[in-house]
Amino acid sequence: MTSSKGVGVVETRYFTFAEPPHEFVLESGEKLGPVTLAYETYGTLNEHKTNAILVLHALSGDAHAAGYHAGEEKAGWWDNFIGPGRAIDTDQYFVICSNILGGCKGSTGPKSIDPKTGKPFGLEFPDITIGDMVHAQKKLVDHLGIKKLLSVIGGSMGGMQVLAWMIHYPDRIVSAIPIATAEKHSPRQIAFDEVGRQAIMADPNWKSGAYYDGPPPAQGLAVARMLGHITYMSDISMAEKFGRKKKSANEDGPFKFTAEFEVEGYLLYRGESFVRRFDANTYLYITKAMDNFDASADRPLQDALLDKDMKVLVIAFKSDWLYPTYQSKDIVRACKQAGLETTFCEIDSTYGHDAFLLEKDDETHLIKHFLRRCYQHLHKP
Amino acid sequence: MTSSKGVGVVETRYFTFAEPPHEFVLESGEKLGPVTLAYETYGTLNEHKTNAILVLHALSGDAHAAGYHAGEEKAGWWDNFIGPGRAIDTDQYFVICSNILGGCKGSTGPKSIDPKTGKPFGLEFPDITIGDMVHAQKKLVDHLGIKKLLSVIGGSMGGMQVLAWMIHYPDRIVSAIPIATAEKHSPRQIAFDEVGRQAIMADPNWKSGAYYDGPPPAQGLAVARMLGHITYMSDISMAEKFGRKKKSANEDGPFKFTAEFEVEGYLLYRGESFVRRFDANTYLYITKAMDNFDASADRPLQDALLDKDMKVLVIAFKSDWLYPTYQSKDIVRACKQAGLETTFCEIDSTYGHDAFLLEKDDETHLIKHFLRRCYQHLHKP
């Protein structure tokens, strides 16, 4: 189904806008500038610029969605889905992915230098929203000279950005693919995020966010990430992956409350490796942005989307208990009530929320055909 | 259905055994002594001592299961279920509840004084198992002169103790009621426990467990407890209780990452209040005991219970995703294969795991009739 070759070696680029005095106005009214977005592109933009697809990343993602950075062995976070012949076929489409505003992978965020003080923002960084992320992406799309995106696609927090694109810039998209997401967080989702934030803020190295000249709040962030990983898996996938298998004996010898079970070792490893690549303040800011996101806050989602001209593909996963299918169905209902051409598919996966990164065959089938249909519709004689 | 009057004012008592040199030998082979168990009793032991029921508590419970301590307003943790006319009718039965070995509410645990050093054990406290808890309870039952308990009953970790009673002392019980429990933790359950332990151990006040002469690891323990509370509720019960309601404005004024949503405020409050009444080292020891518990470790549970003479009532709750119904069904299957007279009921509750403390009417109905049947069977002419 997919080609064995991906997009190859890629490079991250940077786009800076809102150079003073033209500051970027956030939804809160606060101003921020200059703003830099790190981004990557794959494939070739066609002559009429009608084949561009914007990929939107989740909590721990970044601009590096596909291919390899020179000298690195790890492919981009959605490499299985982006490349020649893949779900988002780079022989046909031009793919853009940018690190979100507030991120820590090259875009302006809490660890960036505050031009007013010459020091990292820390908690002086303004509150941001999912809408702000999307408004910044729109500047990048303008900069690339693209009037209308063929599609916006993303899972989890990326799916929230898809919804924000649908609401704020319906005339700039032909289609939208929100995956494993919600129009607003349930109290359970908020609660998990809050426990993660409390773990970070309880770490004495956090220092109210002003830790950039010392050690980061690594233990707190690791605890937050461990918890995250539990919520990304399903009861079944954890049972299949780990069962009650014990770790092989530690070289240092066992001591009390060392990880004994493989599942504990896995979570510790994932927590520790996350800490090396992620900024704790970004974790705080963007989980808050997710918790505060409510696509129906001002008026019902169906009213916001009423009679807009776009096709929508909503994908959910059966074992995803973090973003349960009922939340995707709420989105589908709103889209249909608004009169949008909407397709819904619940994939029968056991991977839990992680399925949006893993269910390659089923998702590829759905996304590939949906995009082809959108492209053909756009170019029909 | 239940009387409006409970058991009234009660007192905690203490039973000490394994006075040196008669130490208590743990399942690990390590020795511990003297051992004290805090316990309470309600109702009256009949002449032939055939009406005694042992109530076994969960992670955060204690010996104070029913009634009121003099001068206190808070009833025991299962007061709704224990008292005249209640599920466990103290007009008819003699009820015993003891704080587990390893606990922090009067029984010997990590914060007790190590007779060898004159200082609190801390991590010098030996590893304990669910079996050890039950072996200690059996000493108390012996001390009270009871040859055979009419029933052993408990939810969650209490249910694990019920299973351990069934395995280790089948001849000492007429019946058993494991509620919302498992014969072994799934990797997901282990994972949640491990995140809680990591949160505690990441707190610099933890000091490898030697914190008793200074401030306790309160922030770490609070994070662990907050996470626990999420797992005790269901998606539905959280939605009904909190929705996305915001807290009223904080008097100190809002600052970044303060709790905004009611669900956040609730969890913070529960975390903070837990810290005042619970010992972090006990949290570590007993979550480890739960994770390591495996009723089928030596041989299948059905083999351990083969042809024993006891009646079993297994209760599960539909929305309990921490101890899902399939785990109770595994217990039921083993009991039936062993030839035990086994009744199973899945209560259609939306409360999640907390349901075992809350579903008063349904549980009362089941437990009351089951106990009556056991008592009648025992006293049939």
Side-chain angles (χ1 to χ4, degrees):
Chain A
M1 176 174 257
T2 57
S3 158
S4 59
K5 275 200 164 179
V7 297
V9 174
V10 298
E11 261 182 41
T12 305
R13 280 179 286 176
Y14 301 88
F15 165 58
T16 298
F17 60 98
E19 303 280 4
H22 303 287
E23 287 176 303
F24 183 60
V25 182
L26 300 165
E27 289 191 334
S28 64
E30 283 195 77
K31 289 172 183 173
L32 182 67
V35 172
T36 296
L37 290 189
Y39 72 102
E40 296 189 4
T41 68
Y42 321 110
T44 309
L45 192 59
N46 64 13
E47 191 192 337
H48 297 293
K49 302 186 175 180
T50 58
N51 69 335
I53 294 171
L54 181 64
V55 171
L56 303 157
H57 72 72
L59 180 61
S60 63
D62 53 28
H64 183 39
Y68 294 83
H69 286 166
E72 290 190 7
E73 284 184 12
K74 203 165 169 284
W77 59 268
W78 224 25
D79 189 68
N80 276 333
F81 293 85
I82 302 167
R86 296 185 184 172
I88 305 176
D89 188 344
T90 49
D91 285 340
Q92 193 169 3
Y93 307 116
F94 176 69
V95 181
I96 311 157
C97 182
S98 73
N99 185 215
I100 53 161
L101 179 69
C104 53
K105 304 297 190 67
S107 291
T108 301
K111 76 168 185 179
S112 302
I113 299 298
D114 181 350
K116 291 198 188 73
T117 64
K119 289 192 283 191
F121 281 102
L123 293 206
E124 294 303 313
F125 194 74
D127 287 334
I128 49 162
T129 64
I130 299 290
D132 292 327
M133 297 175 192
V134 162
H135 300 315
Q137 288 154 2
K138 190 249 178 190
K139 298 270 187 195
L140 171 63
V141 171
D142 287 343
H143 166 72
L144 296 172
I146 297 160
K147 292 219 168 60
K148 204 156 183 171
L149 292 159
L150 179 65
S151 201
V152 286
I153 179 170
S156 201
M157 186 180 76
M160 292 180 166
Q161 295 166 63
V162 169
L163 296 177
W165 267 95
M166 292 165 66
I167 293 167
H168 293 296
Y169 303 110
D171 301 336
R172 301 293 298 270
I173 60 177
V174 175
S175 72
I177 311 179
I179 305 173
T181 194
E183 57 170 297
K184 61 187 170 221
H185 266 181
S186 69
R188 179 154 82 171
Q189 290 165 319
I190 295 170
F192 278 124
D193 281 345
E194 175 67 4
V195 173
R197 286 189 292 264
Q198 288 295 329
I200 290 168
M201 296 190 292
D203 189 321
N205 287 339
W206 181 60
K207 295 177 178 164
S208 298
Y211 53 77
Y212 294 104
D213 55 358
Q219 287 190 290
L221 181 59
V223 168
R225 183 61 171 173
M226 289 173 70
L227 172 56
H229 269 290
I230 304 176
T231 65
Y232 305 152
M233 289 185 273
S234 75
D235 198 18
I236 298 172
S237 68
M238 291 184 91
E240 285 174 353
K241 186 164 184 166
F242 309 110
R244 287 177 57 86
K245 286 197 294 283
K246 299 268 181 132
K247 287 178 67 180
S248 49
N250 193 307
E251 283 192 6
D252 304 329
F255 61 93
K256 276 206 170 76
F257 309 120
T258 314
E260 277 178 88
F261 292 95
E262 279 193 6
V263 64
E264 296 172 309
Y266 171 82
L267 290 177
L268 285 168
Y269 167 77
R270 295 303 292 249
E272 283 163 14
S273 64
F274 186 65
V275 162
R276 286 193 294 273
R277 66 182 177 90
F278 211 82
D279 178 53
N281 283 336
T282 280
Y283 199 95
L284 299 176
Y285 273 89
I286 70 180
T287 55
K288 261 294 175 197
M290 291 166 79
D291 291 345
N292 282 320
F293 179 67
D294 184 350
S296 291
D298 304 326
R299 68 272 151 291
L301 180 56
Q302 55 267 35
D303 293 355
L305 299 176
L306 195 65
D307 296 330
K308 302 298 178 193
D309 183 25
M310 66 180 90
K311 293 185 202 308
V312 185
L313 169 63
V314 180
I315 302 176
F317 301 92
K318 204 164 196 170
S319 58
D320 183 352
W321 58 280
L322 184 62
Y323 288 81
T325 297
Y326 76 79
Q327 295 185 322
S328 284
K329 286 183 178 167
D330 286 344
I331 295 169
V332 171
R333 197 172 300 113
C335 290
K336 294 206 171 196
Q337 285 176 356
L340 309 189
E341 188 187 317
T342 309
T343 307
F344 172 59
C345 186
E346 184 189 41
I347 294 176
D348 189 12
S349 171
T350 59
Y351 283 124
H353 188 56
D354 269 344
F356 84 91
L357 299 166
L358 299 171
E359 286 292 356
K360 197 175 78 167
D361 291 350
D362 281 349
E363 280 184 281
T364 295
H365 181 79
L366 288 168
I367 293 167
K368 199 176 219 176
H369 287 84
F370 177 78
L371 290 176
R372 184 179 302 154
R373 202 150 50 82
C374 294
Y375 190 80
Q376 284 168 348
H377 175 80
L378 193 66
H379 295 89
K380 68 187 171 196
Chain B
M1 175 173 263
T2 58
S3 158
S4 59
K5 275 201 164 179
V7 297
V9 174
V10 297
E11 261 182 39
T12 305
R13 280 179 287 175
Y14 301 88
F15 165 59
T16 298
F17 61 98
E19 303 279 7
H22 304 287
E23 287 176 304
F24 183 60
V25 182
L26 300 165
E27 290 191 334
S28 65
E30 284 194 76
K31 290 171 181 173
L32 182 68
V35 172
T36 296
L37 290 189
Y39 72 102
E40 297 190 3
T41 68
Y42 323 109
T44 310
L45 193 58
N46 64 14
E47 192 192 338
H48 297 292
K49 302 186 175 180
T50 58
N51 67 336
I53 294 171
L54 181 64
V55 171
L56 303 157
H57 71 72
L59 179 61
S60 63
D62 53 29
H64 183 40
Y68 294 83
H69 287 166
E72 291 191 7
E73 284 185 11
K74 201 163 169 285
W77 59 268
W78 224 24
D79 189 67
N80 277 333
F81 293 84
I82 302 165
R86 297 185 184 173
I88 304 175
D89 187 344
T90 50
D91 285 342
Q92 193 168 2
Y93 306 116
F94 176 68
V95 181
I96 311 156
C97 182
S98 72
N99 184 214
I100 53 160
L101 178 68
C104 53
K105 305 295 190 68
S107 291
T108 300
K111 77 168 185 180
S112 302
I113 299 298
D114 180 350
K116 291 198 188 75
T117 64
K119 289 192 285 191
F121 281 101
L123 293 206
E124 294 302 313
F125 195 74
D127 287 334
I128 49 161
T129 64
I130 299 290
D132 291 327
M133 298 174 191
V134 162
H135 300 313
Q137 287 154 3
K138 190 248 177 191
K139 298 271 187 194
L140 171 63
V141 171
D142 287 343
H143 166 73
L144 296 172
I146 297 160
K147 293 221 167 58
K148 203 157 184 171
L149 292 160
L150 179 64
S151 200
V152 286
I153 179 170
S156 200
M157 186 179 77
M160 292 180 166
Q161 295 166 64
V162 170
L163 295 177
W165 267 95
M166 292 166 66
I167 293 167
H168 293 296
Y169 303 109
D171 301 336
R172 301 293 298 268
I173 60 177
V174 174
S175 71
I177 312 180
I179 305 174
T181 194
E183 57 170 296
K184 59 187 170 222
H185 265 180
S186 68
R188 179 154 83 173
Q189 289 165 319
I190 295 170
F192 278 124
D193 281 347
E194 175 67 6
V195 173
R197 287 189 291 265
Q198 288 295 329
I200 290 168
M201 296 190 292
D203 190 320
N205 288 339
W206 181 59
K207 294 177 180 165
S208 298
Y211 53 77
Y212 294 105
D213 55 358
Q219 286 189 289
L221 182 59
V223 168
R225 183 60 171 172
M226 288 173 70
L227 172 55
H229 269 290
I230 304 177
T231 66
Y232 305 151
M233 289 185 272
S234 74
D235 198 18
I236 298 172
S237 68
M238 291 183 91
E240 284 172 354
K241 186 164 183 167
F242 308 110
R244 288 178 55 88
K245 287 198 293 283
K246 299 268 182 134
K247 288 179 65 181
S248 49
N250 194 306
E251 282 192 5
D252 304 328
F255 61 92
K256 277 208 169 77
F257 309 119
T258 314
E260 278 178 86
F261 292 95
E262 280 192 6
V263 65
E264 296 172 308
Y266 171 82
L267 290 177
L268 285 168
Y269 167 77
R270 296 302 291 251
E272 282 163 14
S273 65
F274 186 65
V275 163
R276 286 194 293 275
R277 67 182 176 88
F278 211 81
D279 178 53
N281 283 336
T282 280
Y283 199 94
L284 298 176
Y285 274 89
I286 69 180
T287 55
K288 260 295 174 196
M290 291 165 80
D291 290 346
N292 282 321
F293 179 68
D294 184 351
S296 291
D298 304 325
R299 67 270 152 291
L301 181 56
Q302 55 268 35
D303 293 355
L305 299 176
L306 195 65
D307 296 329
K308 302 299 178 194
D309 183 25
M310 66 181 90
K311 293 185 203 304
V312 185
L313 169 63
V314 180
I315 301 176
F317 301 92
K318 204 166 197 167
S319 58
D320 183 352
W321 59 279
L322 184 62
Y323 287 81
T325 297
Y326 76 79
Q327 294 185 324
S328 285
K329 286 183 176 167
D330 286 343
I331 296 169
V332 171
R333 199 172 299 116
C335 290
K336 294 207 171 195
Q337 284 175 357
L340 309 189
E341 187 187 318
T342 310
T343 307
F344 171 60
C345 185
E346 184 188 40
I347 294 177
D348 189 12
S349 171
T350 59
Y351 282 125
H353 188 57
D354 269 344
F356 84 91
L357 298 166
L358 299 171
E359 286 292 356
K360 197 174 78 166
D361 290 350
D362 281 349
E363 279 184 282
T364 295
H365 181 79
L366 288 168
I367 293 167
K368 199 176 218 175
H369 287 84
F370 177 78
L371 290 176
R372 184 179 302 153
R373 203 149 49 83
C374 294
Y375 189 81
Q376 284 169 348
H377 176 79
L378 193 67
H379 295 89
K380 69 187 171 195

